[in-house]
Amino acid sequence: EVQLVESGGGLVQPGGSLRLSCAASGFTFALRAMSWVRQAPGKGLEWVSGISYDSRPYYRESVKGRFTISRDNAKSTLYLQLNSLQTEDTAMYYCATGVKGDGTRGQGTQVTVSS
C-alpha cells in the first residue's frame, strides 16, 4: 500500500522559509517520479513542482527561483524547500506520486504565510 506522510509545515512571516518533507513507503520510491501539489482555501488543487526518478526538477512559474524540490532515494523521502514565501503560498501542501501530481497523495501539511 502506497503511504505518503508529509511534515514540516507551519506559520511563517512573508519572506520566510520552510522545508517540507514527505516520507514514502509501500512502493519503490527510487523508480517513481514525485511531485508537490497544494490547495489554498476555497481553491482547487494546484501543481507546484515535480521531480523525475533521476532528480530532474520541474516548477510552476510562480515558484521558480523560490522553491527547490529534491529527493533522497536512500531514505525514500521527498523534500520541498520553500524560500521567500508570500501570502499567496498559503495552502495545504501534499506530496503525490507522478511528476504531475495525479497519483496517490498524502494527508498534507499546512503552510500559512502571514504577518
Side-chain angles (χ1 to χ4, degrees):
E1 178 189 1
V2 173
Q3 288 197 331
L4 301 169
V5 180
E6 301 92 336
S7 61
L11 173 63
V12 64
Q13 292 186 341
S17 298
L18 285 172
R19 189 193 195 202
L20 308 184
S21 299
C22 171
S25 61
F27 64 104
T28 306
F29 179 80
L31 298 182
R32 294 294 296 272
M34 298 291 296
S35 55
W36 289 94
V37 298
R38 67 187 179 187
Q39 187 165 25
K43 296 188 177 181
L45 209 58
E46 177 179 84
W47 176 83
V48 176
S49 178
I51 188 167
S52 66
Y53 74 96
D54 57 353
S55 295
R56 283 170 290 157
Y58 305 92
Y59 302 98
R60 71 178 299 107
E61 195 63 35
S62 62
V63 308
K64 282 182 181 177
R66 300 190 299 121
F67 292 6
T68 302
I69 191 170
S70 62
R71 63 191 298 159
D72 185 333
N73 287 341
K75 295 182 179 179
S76 294
T77 302
L78 179 71
Y79 302 100
L80 187 67
Q81 178 69 41
L82 290 69
N83 295 331
S84 302
L85 280 161
Q86 304 167 356
T87 55
E88 309 88 85
D89 297 316
T90 294
M92 183 72 80
Y93 283 71
Y94 303 89
C95 70
T97 57
V99 74
K100 295 184 178 181
D102 51 356
T104 303
R105 291 196 301 270
Q107 86 291 344
T109 186
Q110 178 67 40
V111 171
T112 302
V113 185
S114 175
S115 55

